Amino acid sequence: MKKAFGLVLTYFLFLIIGTAIGMFFYYVYLNIQSSVAGQTFEFFKKEELLRVLFYVLGCLFLFSCPVMVYVRISNKGGILHFIFFIVLSALTWVLFVPLLGHFEKKVSYDVKDSSRYLSQGYFRQNGDKIYYFTSDYNKNPYMDTTAIVIDTSSEGTVEVEKIQPSRDFILFRDSAPYSDILIKKAFGESESTPIISFAQIMDRAMISFSKGWTFFLAFLSLGLVLASLYGTADLFRWRLLNTGFLMIMTCGILAAHTLYYHPVFTSFRRQYINNKGFFIFLSKFMDDPLLVLVNVVLSLTFIVIGIVRFATRNKRGL
């Protein structure tokens, strides 16, 4: 009983402490992304705090099952410990994740591209051209902005141009994910595809939830495979090996759910997999049936491993 309640305490401490730490660092990161040269930081904006809160909680929910499995590796528990693990896992994926998406959609502030602007008095280079705005660009979406445009190519000229406000202005497009190309150059211009994209995974959750219960049930296969890692808690005799296996599998599963939507693999699926009759049929009831099937197969494998290890451990105990 003590270990079972310890699991519950660890679960909620993980969420509380993780939310506090995660919100701090992610809020700073977002402020850097949205910064514009010449403008001061605006801390504690309600809209940004809500955006950070929902993102951090989504990440923590993804790691909640692996964290509880780690507690199981560190402190072996009995049947009550296992029951509490199932209850907390079910609450996380069946209740908390949908509620998170519901409230995010209801109260979160959607930052619009039209609110982005560039301050005057700075030289911003993009390719062969340097832009110098005499007034803030796009701050007033109804007024053109005067800019001195310097073409640095061999046959370049210096011109004064009237630039209309636009969300698709080249300095906005090429500065992504930052708001100002000067900030992007200050922090580096790397645009490598992330191995694990928590935002993408949570977006898929919300999309599946909006399509119907069969689609969301299919997404829950991710929660199932993460929870089924409980069966590998005693896979090896050494706890360090079990911990390492847990970390590798958790990162591997989340990475697979990110790279599944990489353009290269997406093209491969469309050409060789999605046009098969079996997957065409399943796609009527779920998104990404191949990914769901892989999740289910892995889940069954981990569950079987857990049953076998439990049976052999009891046999050795006799």
Side-chain angles (χ1 to χ4, degrees):
M1 179 67 74
K2 184 178 180 180
K3 292 183 178 180
F5 281 110
L7 178 66
V8 178
L9 179 62
T10 301
Y11 176 85
F12 285 104
L13 283 177
F14 167 71
L15 291 181
I16 295 171
I17 297 175
T19 299
I21 296 175
M23 284 189 67
F24 173 78
F25 286 104
Y26 190 58
Y27 188 79
V28 172
Y29 171 73
L30 284 184
N31 267 274
I32 293 174
Q33 274 197 346
S34 61
S35 296
V36 176
Q39 303 298 318
T40 58
F41 277 142
E42 294 184 34
F43 287 104
F44 306 113
K45 292 186 293 184
K46 176 184 176 182
E47 298 83 2
E48 289 295 324
L49 286 174
L50 287 174
R51 180 181 173 189
V52 169
L53 174 63
F54 291 129
Y55 178 81
V56 171
L57 279 177
C59 295
L60 293 175
F61 286 150
L62 289 175
F63 282 102
S64 59
C65 288
V67 167
M68 290 190 290
V69 175
Y70 175 74
V71 174
R72 166 65 180 82
I73 294 174
S74 303
N75 302 286
K76 293 184 177 181
I79 186 64
L80 192 60
H81 188 279
F82 178 62
I83 293 174
F84 273 55
F85 172 82
I86 293 177
V87 172
L88 289 174
S89 299
L91 284 174
T92 299
W93 287 90
V94 179
L95 181 62
F96 295 160
V97 170
L99 282 177
L100 180 69
H102 171 74
F103 285 110
E104 181 178 11
K105 186 177 180 180
K106 187 175 182 179
V107 303
S108 180
Y109 178 78
D110 184 20
V111 179
K112 299 180 181 179
D113 289 339
S114 58
S115 65
R116 300 169 62 186
Y117 71 96
L118 299 173
S119 56
Q120 61 177 319
Y122 288 86
F123 291 94
R124 294 177 172 87
Q125 183 171 5
N126 186 64
D128 293 331
K129 291 187 176 182
I130 298 176
Y131 296 83
Y132 182 90
F133 297 104
T134 59
S135 60
D136 292 338
Y137 173 73
N138 203 45
K139 194 166 188 179
N140 187 334
Y142 303 102
M143 291 183 61
D144 295 350
T145 303
T146 302
I148 301 173
V149 182
I150 306 171
D151 190 340
T152 60
S153 62
S154 57
E155 299 178 357
T157 59
V158 178
E159 298 179 354
V160 177
E161 298 182 5
K162 288 283 187 179
I163 303 178
Q164 295 180 345
S166 172
R167 292 177 294 177
D168 297 322
F169 184 50
I170 189 170
L171 287 181
F172 287 146
R173 287 190 282 110
D174 291 352
S175 65
Y178 297 89
S179 294
D180 191 340
I181 200 165
L182 291 177
I183 304 297
K184 181 177 182 179
K185 290 180 177 180
F187 286 90
E189 301 187 22
S190 175
E191 296 183 3
S192 57
T193 303
I195 297 177
I196 298 177
S197 174
F198 302 107
Q200 183 185 71
I201 294 174
M202 295 309 298
D203 285 343
R204 300 306 303 179
M206 299 307 105
I207 291 173
S208 61
F209 185 70
S210 64
K211 287 185 175 181
W213 70 271
T214 59
F215 288 86
F216 187 69
L217 188 63
F219 173 79
L220 290 183
S221 64
L222 172 59
L224 176 64
V225 70
L226 291 174
S228 64
L229 286 170
Y230 191 95
T232 65
D234 284 330
L235 182 60
F236 305 101
R237 292 183 181 273
W238 293 346
R239 291 180 179 178
L240 183 60
L241 288 178
N242 290 325
T243 302
F245 182 81
L246 172 66
M247 294 175 61
I248 292 172
M249 291 307 304
T250 300
C251 293
I253 290 168
L254 296 178
H257 277 255
T258 299
L259 299 177
Y260 184 84
Y261 301 101
H262 190 278
V264 174
F265 191 68
T266 300
S267 177
F268 173 81
R269 287 189 289 109
R270 288 174 179 172
Q271 186 174 358
Y272 298 103
I273 298 175
N274 292 353
N275 56 359
K276 303 300 180 182
F278 178 66
F279 291 105
I280 293 175
F281 172 75
L282 289 179
S283 63
K284 298 178 181 178
F285 308 99
M286 64 182 71
D287 290 326
D288 311 310
L290 175 63
L291 189 60
V292 174
L293 289 177
V294 172
N295 286 339
V296 172
V297 171
L298 272 179
S299 301
L300 293 176
T301 302
F302 294 149
I303 291 171
V304 170
I305 290 174
I307 294 173
V308 172
R309 292 297 296 168
F310 178 78
T312 55
R313 184 180 62 186
N314 283 355
K315 188 175 180 179
R316 289 197 303 269
L318 293 174

